[in-house]
Amino acid sequence: MRAVLQRVTHASVTIDGEVSGEIGTGFLILLGVGPEDTAEEALYLARKCVGLRIFSDENDKMNLALADVGGKILAVSQFTLFADCRKGKRPNFTGAAKGDKAKELYEYFVACCRGLGVETQTGEFGADMKVSLCNDGPVTIILDTDEMIRKK
């Protein structure tokens, strides 16, 4: 799984002109699922995201997690995180998981975040979404379970 996590002061996702999910302080997480990804990896990634201490404390050091600041998550599925741009000008997306599996693991990731006590808003899997955000910092972190867990 791949996640692009952005610390935000505000983020929202709109579908057909209607707001689907919206948060204030927290994380916008763009989540991509690969064909070999598992539920265990989704749980691992959710725990990692929820526990990241990247909010500033009273000494202006990144030392606080979501729970410490009352932060929320906006999770948006994004298969394009698996784009292969090595050849030509048009990306190849065969490295992304097929729809049913990707949706299942995306929804499981969201459920894990909620189960860890974080209010989690979402977009709609497979929809054409407009994402708006105010990146705080800016702080953007890329997480890839292949690199973090070291699949064999």
Side-chain angles (χ1 to χ4, degrees), residues 33-46:
V33 178
E36 304 300 318
D37 291 335
T38 66
E40 291 79 19
E41 289 173 277
L43 176 58
Y44 174 89
L45 188 59

Side-chain angles (χ1 to χ4, degrees), residues 3-36:
V4 175
L5 182 148
Q6 297 180 74
R7 186 179 76 183
V8 299
T9 57
H10 176 267
S12 65
V13 61
T14 303
I15 303 167
D16 295 328
E18 297 291 325
V19 174
S20 171
E22 184 171 25
I23 63 167
T25 298
F27 297 152
L28 168 65
I29 300 175
L30 305 174
L31 184 73
V33 178
E36 304 300 318

Side-chain angles (χ1 to χ4, degrees), residues 54-152:
I54 61 173
F55 291 94
S56 297
D57 65 14
E58 66 278 356
N59 298 313
D60 205 29
K61 300 286 185 200
M62 281 194 217
N63 202 27
L64 302 177
L66 279 171
D68 300 320
V69 299
K72 299 174 181 163
I73 290 174
L74 175 59
V76 178
S77 63
Q78 185 146 5
F79 75 94
T80 60
L81 292 179
F82 279 88
D84 181 349
C85 298
R86 291 177 291 182
K87 295 182 182 178
K89 305 273 189 221
R90 184 169 183 250
N92 179 327
F93 299 107
T94 58
K98 301 292 184 213
D100 288 344
K101 178 178 183 170
K103 182 177 182 179
E104 178 182 324
L105 286 177
Y106 163 73
E107 289 175 350
Y108 183 66
F109 172 83
V110 169
C112 290
C113 291
R114 290 175 176 154
L116 292 165
V118 178
E119 181 180 326
T120 303
Q121 300 287 316
T122 65
E124 180 182 321
F125 186 89
D128 181 17
M129 298 175 273
K130 308 299 181 215
V131 179
S132 175
L133 71 138
C134 183
N135 191 317
D136 181 21
V139 175
T140 301
I141 296 176
I142 299 171
L143 302 166
D144 187 328
T145 57
D146 282 351
E147 295 175 6
M148 297 163 66
I149 299 174
R150 303 277 181 217
K151 286 185 184 175
K152 296 180 180 177

